[in-house]
Amino acid sequence: AFDLEGKRFYAIYDYVRDPDAKNYAGYLVYTYGTDCMKNSYALFDEYLIGTILVITPDGDVIFDSAGEHYRSKFAGYEKMSGHISGSYAEKGCIVNYTRDNTYDFITVGVIPENAIYQKVDILNEKITLVAVLCIASVILLTVLTTGLFAKRIKIIVRTIQKIQKGDFSARAEVGDSGDEVQVIANNLNIMSKRIDEYIKKEYVYELRQKDAMLKQKTDQLYTLQMQVNPHFLY
């Protein structure tokens, strides 16, 4: 690994043998810029916590997203020896690692515990906020529903009071919600209508009876008058 013009590079080399000779003819060198590693997860950078490193089996740091571990072996790399992946705690951090089976490189994630707790605190604040909003919504919905229910009940009560005073044309209009309140209002309206119809029917019947009796009395008086007049004339 080396620095060039402010950028970090990692080189892999191998010998090149001359087909006609037994000696090596040179080296074949592959050079990688570590920025390409950072670009590979740039889309997920806002979701990542802590530092990402790539180290060799000997602990040499090839890539460090924080730039703090170059030119020194990664502390604790001995704990990763002989393991494909794992996790351990060290100096207030959680270290997760996994080994590449092809080149034996180790990808390490170092997450400070306070960063984890900070995320948890933010999550708790969001959960608390959502819970408060839900409770407030339930209370508001309950108040509105109770107020609407009480308003419809008052309409029924006022209608009953009008019927008690003799106004049988009163009707309870509570909407078309289809609930128990509407059933009560509909039955009250039917009862009021039937009582009104019955009273009108009885009133008309009574008027007809009185009219018939009055007509009968008139006829009787007329007959009596017809009988009395000749007598006085005589």
Side-chain angles (χ1 to χ4, degrees):
F2 59 94
D3 294 328
L4 181 62
E5 295 181 356
K7 295 184 179 180
R8 187 75 177 177
F9 291 88
Y10 179 76
I12 300 176
Y13 68 92
D14 197 1
Y15 297 103
V16 178
R17 186 187 297 272
D18 188 349
D20 299 329
K22 296 181 179 181
N23 299 325
Y24 294 108
Y27 297 94
L28 181 62
V29 181
Y30 300 92
T31 303
Y32 300 92
T34 56
D35 287 343
C36 66
M37 298 182 185
K38 194 170 185 177
N39 294 334
S40 64
Y41 65 84
L43 295 176
F44 311 98
D45 190 43
E46 61 178 321
Y47 306 105
L48 298 177
I49 304 174
T51 305
I52 297 177
L53 302 99
V54 179
I55 64 176
T56 65
D58 298 329
D60 294 326
V61 178
I62 299 174
F63 170 74
D64 178 10
S65 61
E68 299 175 353
H69 299 85
Y70 288 128
R71 297 184 180 86
S72 63
K73 292 185 179 296
F74 181 74
Y77 76 93
E78 298 90 350
K79 299 179 181 179
M80 308 174 192
S81 179
H83 301 284
I84 297 177
S85 62
S87 178
Y88 63 90
E90 184 176 356
K91 295 181 180 180
C93 296
I94 303 297
V95 180
N96 301 304
Y97 64 91
T98 182
R99 188 183 300 273
D100 177 46
N101 294 328
T102 304
Y103 300 102
D104 214 25
F105 291 150
I106 304 173
T107 302
V108 182
V110 182
I111 306 175
E113 292 182 354
N114 57 358
I116 298 176
Y117 295 145
Q118 183 180 6
K119 292 291 184 179
V120 173
D121 292 339
I122 294 175
L123 182 60
N124 288 335
E125 291 177 358
K126 291 182 179 179
I127 293 175
T128 302
L129 178 61
V130 172
V132 170
L133 291 176
C134 290
I135 293 173
S137 299
V138 170
I139 294 175
L140 179 61
L141 183 61
T142 302
V143 171
L144 293 176
T145 304
T146 304
L148 181 60
F149 181 81
K151 181 179 179 181
R152 297 168 71 201
I153 292 296
K154 288 181 180 178
I155 293 175
I156 294 177
V157 172
R158 285 197 296 267
T159 303
I160 294 174
Q161 292 173 347
K162 290 181 180 179
I163 294 174
Q164 288 177 341
K165 294 178 181 179
D167 184 8
F168 296 101
S169 63
R171 299 291 183 268
E173 302 295 338
V174 295
D176 298 325
S177 59
D179 57 359
E180 291 80 0
V181 176
Q182 185 184 358
V183 173
I184 295 173
N186 290 341
N187 290 331
L188 178 63
N189 293 337
I190 293 173
M191 181 190 70
S192 177
K193 180 180 179 181
R194 289 180 178 177
I195 292 175
D196 188 41
E197 291 176 350
Y198 178 77
I199 290 176
K200 289 180 179 179
K201 182 179 178 181
E202 290 296 319
Y203 180 73
V204 171
Y205 177 74
E206 185 177 355
L207 286 178
R208 287 178 180 177
Q209 280 189 327
K210 289 183 178 180
D211 185 64
M213 291 177 61
L214 181 61
K215 185 177 181 181
Q216 184 180 3
K217 294 290 185 180
T218 302
D219 292 341
Q220 289 177 354
L221 288 174
Y222 180 75
T223 303
L224 183 61
Q225 185 181 5
M226 294 298 293
Q227 293 176 354
V228 170
N229 285 339
H231 176 71
F232 277 101
L233 288 175
Y234 177 73

